[in-house]
Amino acid sequence: MTRLVITALGLSLAFCGGEKRAQELQLFEKSAFDKIVDGKNISLYTLHNKNGMTVQLTNYGARIVDLWVPSKDGKFKDVVMGFETIDAYLKANDIYNGPVVGRYGNRIGKGNFTLNGVKYQLTINDGENHLHGGTGGFGQMIWDVVSAAENEIKMRYISPDGEEGYPGNLELEVNYTLTENNELVIRYLAKTDAPTVINPTSHSYFNLHGINSSSTNSHILTIYADKYTPTDKNLIPTGEISSIENTPLDFRRATPIGDRINFSFEALVSGRGYDHNWILMKNGGSGEIELAAEVYEPSTGIVLKVLTDQPAIQFYSGNFMTGNDVGKRGNINNYRTGIALETQNYPDAPNHANFPSAILNPGETYSQTCIYKFELKK
Ligand code: BGC
C-alpha cells in the first residue's frame, strides 16, 4: 500500500494557520496513480483549503479518490469510497467509485432514443438498458488536465461523434473547486458540433462514518422534493410523475435512511431499496443553485449538503454493492455501505416529452453546478 501520512503538525503548519490538529490524513502518493495508458498520462492531484479539508482526484474518469472532512472528535474522516492505486481502479468490479459519469448519467431505456427523426442506439450495459454512458462512459476515460492549482482543478474530455452510440463531438469541461467554506464545487460546461443529449453527474459513494464498512442506514436524510419519477422493475421511468406523500420516499422531514428502506412499497422492491429520481421542489426552473438534499451522521457529526441547479437528484442507497471490491484501508464495499446523491436531469429524459429536455445543440452551452458542502453538528 502506498500512502503518504501527513501528520497533524505538518497539516496545521501548512493549512491551518498554526492551529494544531490532533489527527492525520492518510493521503495517497502521486506515484500510486502515475501511469500511462494508451499513450495518455494518468496522475493524482490534491486540493486543500485553509481548514485542512483535502480532496484527491485523478484524471482517470475526472474522479474523486478521497475527500477528508472534519468530524466531531477533532479528526478528519475520508467520506468517499475508492481505492489506493490506479491499478485497483482499473481492475475494480464497480466502476462507479467517484467518477463523472456520462455522456448520459443514469439510465436510457433499451439504450435508444430518437433525435430530429433519427434513431440512435447506444451501448447496452445494464440488462437491456444503457447506464451511466455505457461500458466506455466518461468515468472510464482519461481526461486532459487543463489547469491545476492548490484549490482548483479543471479537466477536459472530448467525446468523439459515435462514442457509445451518441451523436456529435462533445467537449466537456469539469472544474472542481474547494472553497474556504468546506464546499467542493463541481461545474460542468459542454458544447457540441451536432445535436446530442447530455446529463453528466458526479458518482461518489459517500459514507459519513468515514470509510470503514459501516452501514449508511444510520444516516439521517432530507430531500427537498415532493415528487418522483416511478419506474418499471428495471428502473426505467414509466413517464409518470408521482407525489411522494404517504410513501417511504418522503424525506421532506429528516429521517434515518434505514427506517423505511425495507418497506414492501413497489418502488423500493424494484430498486431493492432506494434507487430513485426525486424531482426537486424548485425543479431547476429558476436556474438558481438551491439545496437539494442534506445527510447527517450522528456518530461523527458530519453533515453533507447537496446543492444544485439541476431539476432532480438520484438517491441510491448502495443496494447493489456486493462486497466484491476491497477498497481503501481494507474497506469492503458491502451492501448499503455507501450512498450516491447524483444531481441530474431525469433518467431516460430523451424518451419522455414531458421530462425536461436533455438536448444540446451546436451553438449552445450546457452548464451544471453541483456543490457538496460539509458542516459539523456537535
Ligand atoms: C444507479 C444504480 C446503479 C449504480 C451503480 C446508480 O447511480 O442508480 O442503479 O446500480 O449507480 O453504481
Side-chain angles (χ1 to χ4, degrees):
M1 179 179 54
T2 323
R3 72 186 184 206
L4 178 67
V5 174
I6 295 193
T7 61
L9 189 59
L11 236 195
S12 52
L13 290 175
F15 312 147
C16 306
E19 186 196 331
K20 287 184 189 168
R21 286 180 188 278
Q23 70 92 47
E24 58 177 38
L25 303 190
Q26 297 165 330
L27 300 182
F28 301 119
E29 284 175 12
K30 206 172 142 307
S31 57
F33 285 79
D34 280 343
K35 190 171 179 117
I36 299 177
V37 177
D38 298 334
K40 291 189 159 181
N41 290 313
I42 302 178
S43 194
L44 183 72
Y45 302 84
T46 304
L47 312 184
H48 56 78
N49 70 10
K50 294 200 170 64
N51 312 316
M53 182 174 158
T54 302
V55 189
Q56 292 194 295
L57 302 115
T58 172
N59 58 322
Y60 173 60
R63 183 183 300 265
I64 300 169
V65 170
D66 56 27
L67 210 175
W68 292 89
V69 301
S71 74
K72 69 178 180 188
D73 61 3
K75 298 187 174 160
F76 279 51
K77 304 266 188 242
D78 176 12
V79 292
V80 293
M81 295 176 92
F83 301 92
E84 300 185 356
T85 63
I86 189 61
D87 290 332
Y89 276 100
L90 292 168
K91 281 195 299 240
N93 294 299
D94 186 333
I95 57 178
Y96 301 119
N97 282 272
V100 167
V101 295
R103 195 175 292 202
Y104 204 92
N106 215 311
R107 292 178 169 80
I108 294 186
K110 306 252 182 337
N112 63 52
F113 62 93
T114 300
L115 182 57
N116 299 333
V118 181
K119 186 170 175 184
Y120 294 95
Q121 181 61 54
L122 309 174
T123 313
I124 301 298
N125 64 333
D126 184 59
E128 54 183 21
N129 301 311
H130 177 86
L131 174 68
H132 294 332
T135 42
F138 293 175
Q140 278 59 61
M141 295 299 145
I142 301 169
W143 294 51
D144 295 323
V145 176
V146 180
S147 58
E150 188 169 307
N151 60 355
E152 189 161 12
I153 185 164
K154 185 191 281 191
M155 304 191 214
R156 180 185 297 140
Y157 178 64
I158 297 176
S159 168
D161 178 37
E163 186 177 52
E164 297 293 307
Y166 289 99
N169 294 295
L170 180 92
E171 182 177 323
L172 174 63
E173 270 183 12
V174 173
N175 206 86
Y176 289 93
T177 310
L178 182 54
T179 73
E180 297 305 326
N181 295 322
N182 287 1
E183 300 159 317
L184 183 63
V185 181
I186 310 172
R187 286 200 190 88
Y188 305 79
L189 280 181
K191 49 189 194 206
T192 181
D193 65 359
T196 191
V197 295
I198 180 168
N199 187 33
T201 190
S202 176
H203 204 287
S204 282
Y205 297 121
F206 294 99
N207 186 321
L208 305 186
H209 291 283
I211 297 306
N212 64 4
S213 306
S214 296
S215 169
T216 39
N217 279 348
S218 59
H219 290 7
I220 298 172
L221 175 67
T222 312
I223 304 180
Y224 298 95
D226 48 16
K227 299 190 187 74
Y228 77 110
T229 47
T231 66
D232 66 14
K233 61 179 183 357
N234 295 317
L235 301 179
I236 301 299
T238 58
E240 294 157 279
I241 290 177
S242 298
S243 167
I244 43 106
E245 185 96 42
N246 299 319
T247 79
L249 270 55
D250 189 348
F251 279 97
R252 288 173 297 184
R253 273 228 315 263
T255 310
I257 291 173
D259 272 16
R260 300 167 299 177
I261 198 166
N262 294 320
F263 279 19
S264 61
F265 179 67
E266 198 185 332
L268 288 180
V269 175
S270 317
R272 299 208 223 160
Y274 294 106
D275 197 355
H276 302 91
N277 173 63
W278 274 256
I279 299 175
L280 297 170
M281 286 170 192
K282 46 84 185 177
N283 197 15
S286 63
E288 299 284 310
I289 297 167
E290 292 181 50
L291 192 58
E294 202 164 328
V295 200
Y296 164 54
E297 170 48 47
S299 66
T300 56
I302 298 173
V303 177
L304 163 60
K305 290 185 173 170
V306 184
L307 298 99
T308 182
D309 55 7
Q310 291 298 289
I313 191 167
Q314 180 89 6
F315 161 46
Y316 166 61
S317 55
N319 317 305
F320 299 111
M321 288 181 172
T322 54
N324 284 340
D325 282 321
V326 180
K328 292 181 271 186
R329 299 174 288 281
N331 173 72
I332 315 273
N333 73 341
N334 282 327
Y335 184 56
R336 296 183 181 161
T337 57
I339 59 168
L341 289 161
E342 306 153 51
T343 59
Q344 57 172 19
N345 194 347
Y346 305 0
D348 203 29
N351 288 311
H352 299 281
N354 60 327
F355 288 2
S357 170
I359 299 169
L360 181 68
N361 289 304
E364 297 171 348
T365 301
Y366 170 89
S367 76
Q368 179 192 160
T369 301
C370 166
I371 303 176
Y372 293 122
K373 179 172 172 46
F374 291 88
E375 293 176 359
L376 255 192
K377 244 188 227 181
K378 291 199 176 157

